[in-house]
Amino acid sequence: MRPIGRYILIEKIAQEIKTDSGLILSAADASQLRYHKGKVVAVGTDVEHISPDDIIYYDSRAGYTMVIDERQLTVISQSDIVVVL
């Protein structure tokens, strides 16, 4: 399976948010963050500087989620990525 063009297939990574005082925020609070964390599964034919298995932060409003081979994956555009770790 391979995305076409400048699209990237990612798997979301559940984030645990801890405040300075040590409180752990709920998943609902974490889902309201502007950027989410994900792991790159596959990259499109025109994508540069991003490889499979990279960990990224991307705009939370970006992409479409689908089920492929019993895995929940999200397709986003390369322009929606803000940080590559």
Side-chain angles (χ1 to χ4, degrees):
M1 128 184 72
R2 184 168 188 176
I4 297 172
R6 298 181 76 68
Y7 289 101
I8 299 169
L9 193 60
I10 63 167
E11 189 167 24
K12 292 182 181 180
I13 296 174
Q15 293 179 255
E16 183 178 275
I17 309 299
K18 191 181 238 185
T19 64
D20 292 337
S21 62
L23 294 174
I24 297 175
L25 300 178
S26 69
D29 292 330
S31 71
Q32 302 217 359
L33 295 175
R34 172 72 191 264
Y35 299 105
H36 288 181
K37 190 175 184 180
K39 179 179 178 182
V40 177
V41 175
V43 297
T45 53
D46 298 333
V47 173
E48 298 176 357
H49 311 296
I50 299 170
S51 304
D53 296 326
D54 281 348
I55 302 298
I56 61 166
Y57 282 91
Y58 63 97
D59 191 332
S60 62
R61 297 177 290 231
Y64 300 94
T65 302
M66 60 183 74
V67 177
I68 300 173
D69 296 330
E70 298 182 20
R71 291 171 58 191
Q72 189 171 359
L73 302 172
T74 302
V75 177
I76 63 170
S77 175
Q78 181 179 2
S79 62
D80 295 320
I81 295 175
V82 293
V83 175
V84 178
L85 302 177

